[in-house]
Amino acid sequence: MTDAGRGLIFRDKQATPAARLSKISNELLMLASDLERTGPPEPCAIQWPDVADMRRALKRYLRMRRDREKLFPKLFGDPAWDILLLLYVYHSAGIPIQVSAIAGLANIPGTTSLRYLDLLIEQKLIARAPDPKDRRRIWIVITPKATVLLEQWLSALPLMPE
């Protein structure tokens, strides 16, 4: 069965972006109507098989956010959230990130990234770590507090198909 046949409208390569967006919009309206009738769903945390599954789900989520930005430029922005998610993905993969790389990875201006890095540091969600081999280089690391909170948020996300 094809992706489109299974209802995976995000991956239907033959439909135009406008048609895919229309399908998504209609589905969201139906879901909202269902929620009005039945009330909010019971919270249920899923068990993620492993960290790699969480990392894959986050990568898909971030890719979907980038796709949204292409469809609706300059309408949505969530720099602090994007930075946290990126740091979690890179941290879980064992890849360090330099302060200078954050802006490009989060697709935000450099001054915005610095402002949000300061805010995240103030909230004790990330920390700066100097490179012992090169004093000019500063790494950004996610804190255990942020990791726990993100994993709590992730546990409530449904597993999304590839």
Side-chain angles (χ1 to χ4, degrees), residues 21-52:
L21 186 57
S22 177
K23 287 179 185 179
I24 293 167
S25 235
N26 290 336
E27 182 68 20
L28 287 173
L29 287 171
M30 290 188 321
L31 284 170
S33 176
D34 289 348
L35 278 175
E36 283 178 8
R37 281 194 312 276
T38 62
E42 290 289 322
C44 61
I46 61 163
Q47 291 296 317
W48 288 83
D50 59 30
V51 172

Short mmCIF file of all heavy atoms in Angstrom, two decimals, residues 21-52:
data_model
loop_
_atom_site.label_atom_id
_atom_site.label_comp_id
_atom_site.label_asym_id
_atom_site.label_seq_id
_atom_site.Cartn_x
_atom_site.Cartn_y
_atom_site.Cartn_z
N LEU A 21 -1.86 20.47 2.46
CA LEU A 21 -2.24 21.37 3.54
C LEU A 21 -3.75 21.36 3.74
O LEU A 21 -4.24 21.37 4.88
CB LEU A 21 -1.74 22.78 3.24
CG LEU A 21 -1.91 23.82 4.32
CD1 LEU A 21 -1.23 23.37 5.61
CD2 LEU A 21 -1.35 25.14 3.88
N SER A 22 -4.50 21.31 2.66
CA SER A 22 -5.96 21.26 2.75
C SER A 22 -6.41 19.98 3.47
O SER A 22 -7.29 20.02 4.33
CB SER A 22 -6.57 21.33 1.35
OG SER A 22 -7.96 21.21 1.43
N LYS A 23 -5.77 18.86 3.15
CA LYS A 23 -6.11 17.59 3.82
C LYS A 23 -5.80 17.68 5.31
O LYS A 23 -6.59 17.23 6.14
CB LYS A 23 -5.31 16.44 3.21
CG LYS A 23 -5.78 16.02 1.84
CD LYS A 23 -4.89 14.88 1.33
CE LYS A 23 -5.23 14.48 -0.07
NZ LYS A 23 -4.36 13.41 -0.56
N ILE A 24 -4.67 18.25 5.62
CA ILE A 24 -4.28 18.39 7.03
C ILE A 24 -5.27 19.28 7.76
O ILE A 24 -5.71 18.98 8.86
CB ILE A 24 -2.85 18.96 7.15
CG1 ILE A 24 -1.82 17.96 6.61
CG2 ILE A 24 -2.52 19.35 8.58
CD1 ILE A 24 -0.45 18.55 6.40
N SER A 25 -5.64 20.39 7.13
CA SER A 25 -6.59 21.32 7.72
C SER A 25 -7.93 20.64 8.01
O SER A 25 -8.49 20.79 9.10
CB SER A 25 -6.83 22.46 6.74
OG SER A 25 -6.60 23.67 7.31
N ASN A 26 -8.42 19.88 7.04
CA ASN A 26 -9.69 19.18 7.21
C ASN A 26 -9.60 18.16 8.34
O ASN A 26 -10.52 18.01 9.14
CB ASN A 26 -10.12 18.49 5.91
CG ASN A 26 -10.54 19.49 4.85
OD1 ASN A 26 -10.94 20.61 5.18
ND2 ASN A 26 -10.44 19.11 3.60
N GLU A 27 -8.49 17.44 8.40
CA GLU A 27 -8.30 16.45 9.45
C GLU A 27 -8.27 17.11 10.83
O GLU A 27 -8.87 16.61 11.78
CB GLU A 27 -7.01 15.66 9.21
CG GLU A 27 -6.74 14.57 10.21
CD GLU A 27 -7.71 13.40 10.14
OE1 GLU A 27 -8.37 13.23 9.10
OE2 GLU A 27 -7.80 12.67 11.15
N LEU A 28 -7.60 18.25 10.93
CA LEU A 28 -7.55 18.97 12.20
C LEU A 28 -8.93 19.46 12.62
O LEU A 28 -9.29 19.40 13.79
CB LEU A 28 -6.58 20.15 12.12
CG LEU A 28 -5.09 19.78 12.12
CD1 LEU A 28 -4.24 21.02 11.87
CD2 LEU A 28 -4.70 19.12 13.41
N LEU A 29 -9.73 19.92 11.66
CA LEU A 29 -11.10 20.34 11.98
C LEU A 29 -11.93 19.18 12.50
O LEU A 29 -12.69 19.32 13.46
CB LEU A 29 -11.77 20.96 10.75
CG LEU A 29 -11.27 22.35 10.36
CD1 LEU A 29 -11.85 22.77 9.01
CD2 LEU A 29 -11.63 23.37 11.43
N MET A 30 -11.77 18.01 11.87
CA MET A 30 -12.51 16.82 12.33
C MET A 30 -12.05 16.42 13.73
O MET A 30 -12.87 16.08 14.58
CB MET A 30 -12.34 15.67 11.33
CG MET A 30 -13.07 15.91 10.02
SD MET A 30 -13.12 14.53 8.84
CE MET A 30 -11.55 13.79 8.97
N LEU A 31 -10.74 16.46 13.98
CA LEU A 31 -10.23 16.13 15.31
C LEU A 31 -10.74 17.11 16.37
O LEU A 31 -11.13 16.70 17.46
CB LEU A 31 -8.70 16.12 15.30
CG LEU A 31 -8.03 14.93 14.65
CD1 LEU A 31 -6.54 15.17 14.51
CD2 LEU A 31 -8.28 13.67 15.44
N ALA A 32 -10.75 18.38 16.03
CA ALA A 32 -11.25 19.39 16.97
C ALA A 32 -12.73 19.14 17.29
O ALA A 32 -13.15 19.23 18.44
CB ALA A 32 -11.06 20.80 16.40
N SER A 33 -13.49 18.79 16.27
CA SER A 33 -14.90 18.48 16.47
C SER A 33 -15.07 17.25 17.37
O SER A 33 -15.91 17.24 18.27
CB SER A 33 -15.56 18.24 15.11
OG SER A 33 -16.89 17.85 15.26
N ASP A 34 -14.27 16.23 17.13
CA ASP A 34 -14.31 15.02 17.97
C ASP A 34 -13.99 15.35 19.42
O ASP A 34 -14.63 14.86 20.35
CB ASP A 34 -13.32 13.96 17.47
CG ASP A 34 -13.75 13.32 16.16
OD1 ASP A 34 -14.91 13.52 15.74
OD2 ASP A 34 -12.91 12.65 15.54
N LEU A 35 -12.96 16.21 19.63
CA LEU A 35 -12.57 16.58 20.98
C LEU A 35 -13.68 17.36 21.69
O LEU A 35 -13.89 17.20 22.88
CB LEU A 35 -11.29 17.40 20.98
CG LEU A 35 -10.00 16.61 20.90
CD1 LEU A 35 -8.81 17.55 20.77
CD2 LEU A 35 -9.83 15.71 22.09
N GLU A 36 -14.38 18.22 20.94
CA GLU A 36 -15.48 18.96 21.54
C GLU A 36 -16.57 18.02 22.04
O GLU A 36 -17.16 18.24 23.09
CB GLU A 36 -16.06 19.96 20.54
CG GLU A 36 -15.22 21.19 20.36
CD GLU A 36 -15.80 22.14 19.33
OE1 GLU A 36 -16.94 21.93 18.85
OE2 GLU A 36 -15.11 23.11 19.00
N ARG A 37 -16.83 16.96 21.29
CA ARG A 37 -17.86 15.99 21.66
C ARG A 37 -17.43 15.10 22.81
O ARG A 37 -18.21 14.79 23.69
CB ARG A 37 -18.24 15.12 20.46
CG ARG A 37 -19.16 15.77 19.47
CD ARG A 37 -19.76 14.75 18.50
NE ARG A 37 -18.80 13.84 17.91
CZ ARG A 37 -18.06 14.11 16.83
NH1 ARG A 37 -18.18 15.25 16.23
NH2 ARG A 37 -17.22 13.23 16.36
N THR A 38 -16.18 14.67 22.80
CA THR A 38 -15.74 13.65 23.76
C THR A 38 -14.95 14.20 24.93
O THR A 38 -14.73 13.49 25.90
CB THR A 38 -14.86 12.59 23.06
OG1 THR A 38 -13.70 13.23 22.55
CG2 THR A 38 -15.62 11.91 21.94
N GLY A 39 -14.50 15.44 24.85
CA GLY A 39 -13.66 15.99 25.91
C GLY A 39 -12.21 15.64 25.66
O GLY A 39 -11.88 14.87 24.75
N PRO A 40 -11.31 16.17 26.47
CA PRO A 40 -9.87 15.92 26.25
C PRO A 40 -9.54 14.45 26.49
O PRO A 40 -10.17 13.79 27.31
CB PRO A 40 -9.18 16.82 27.27
CG PRO A 40 -10.22 17.12 28.29
CD PRO A 40 -11.56 17.02 27.61
N PRO A 41 -8.56 13.95 25.76
CA PRO A 41 -8.16 12.55 25.93
C PRO A 41 -7.46 12.34 27.28
O PRO A 41 -6.91 13.28 27.85
CB PRO A 41 -7.20 12.29 24.78
CG PRO A 41 -6.65 13.63 24.45
CD PRO A 41 -7.74 14.63 24.77
N GLU A 42 -7.52 11.13 27.75
CA GLU A 42 -6.78 10.78 28.96
C GLU A 42 -5.29 10.87 28.66
O GLU A 42 -4.85 10.39 27.61
CB GLU A 42 -7.10 9.33 29.38
CG GLU A 42 -8.51 9.15 29.89
CD GLU A 42 -8.71 9.77 31.25
OE1 GLU A 42 -7.78 9.70 32.09
OE2 GLU A 42 -9.77 10.36 31.47
N PRO A 43 -4.50 11.48 29.53
CA PRO A 43 -3.06 11.51 29.26
C PRO A 43 -2.49 10.10 29.35
O PRO A 43 -2.83 9.34 30.24
CB PRO A 43 -2.49 12.40 30.38
CG PRO A 43 -3.54 12.43 31.42
CD PRO A 43 -4.86 12.12 30.77
N CYS A 44 -1.68 9.76 28.36
CA CYS A 44 -1.06 8.44 28.40
C CYS A 44 0.35 8.56 27.85
O CYS A 44 0.54 9.01 26.74
CB CYS A 44 -1.86 7.42 27.61
SG CYS A 44 -2.01 7.79 25.88
N ALA A 45 1.29 8.22 28.64
CA ALA A 45 2.68 8.25 28.20
C ALA A 45 3.00 6.95 27.51
O ALA A 45 2.60 5.89 27.96
CB ALA A 45 3.60 8.45 29.41
N ILE A 46 3.69 7.06 26.39
CA ILE A 46 4.10 5.85 25.68
C ILE A 46 5.50 5.47 26.14
O ILE A 46 6.22 6.30 26.68
CB ILE A 46 4.09 6.06 24.15
CG1 ILE A 46 5.08 7.17 23.76
CG2 ILE A 46 2.71 6.35 23.65
CD1 ILE A 46 5.44 7.17 22.34
N GLN A 47 5.84 4.27 25.93
CA GLN A 47 7.20 3.82 26.22
C GLN A 47 7.99 3.84 24.92
O GLN A 47 7.67 3.12 23.98
CB GLN A 47 7.18 2.38 26.78
CG GLN A 47 6.58 2.29 28.15
CD GLN A 47 7.42 3.06 29.17
OE1 GLN A 47 8.64 3.00 29.16
NE2 GLN A 47 6.75 3.80 30.03
N TRP A 48 8.98 4.70 24.84
CA TRP A 48 9.83 4.75 23.66
C TRP A 48 10.78 3.57 23.73
O TRP A 48 11.36 3.30 24.79
CB TRP A 48 10.64 6.04 23.65
CG TRP A 48 9.80 7.23 23.34
CD1 TRP A 48 9.03 7.93 24.22
CD2 TRP A 48 9.61 7.84 22.08
NE1 TRP A 48 8.39 8.95 23.59
CE2 TRP A 48 8.73 8.92 22.27
CE3 TRP A 48 10.10 7.60 20.80
CZ2 TRP A 48 8.33 9.76 21.22
CZ3 TRP A 48 9.71 8.42 19.77
CH2 TRP A 48 8.83 9.48 19.99
N PRO A 49 10.92 2.86 22.61
CA PRO A 49 11.84 1.73 22.62
C PRO A 49 13.27 2.11 23.00
O PRO A 49 13.91 1.41 23.74
CB PRO A 49 11.77 1.19 21.19
CG PRO A 49 10.44 1.64 20.69
CD PRO A 49 10.18 2.98 21.36
N ASP A 50 13.76 3.24 22.51
CA ASP A 50 15.11 3.65 22.88
C ASP A 50 15.34 5.11 22.51
O ASP A 50 14.49 5.75 21.89
CB ASP A 50 16.17 2.75 22.25
CG ASP A 50 16.12 2.73 20.73
OD1 ASP A 50 15.71 3.75 20.13
OD2 ASP A 50 16.47 1.71 20.14
N VAL A 51 16.48 5.63 22.88
CA VAL A 51 16.81 7.03 22.62
C VAL A 51 16.87 7.30 21.12
O VAL A 51 16.49 8.37 20.66
CB VAL A 51 18.15 7.40 23.31
CG1 VAL A 51 18.62 8.78 22.89
CG2 VAL A 51 18.01 7.32 24.81
N ALA A 52 17.31 6.33 20.35
CA ALA A 52 17.40 6.53 18.90
C ALA A 52 16.02 6.81 18.31
O ALA A 52 15.88 7.63 17.40
CB ALA A 52 18.03 5.30 18.24
#
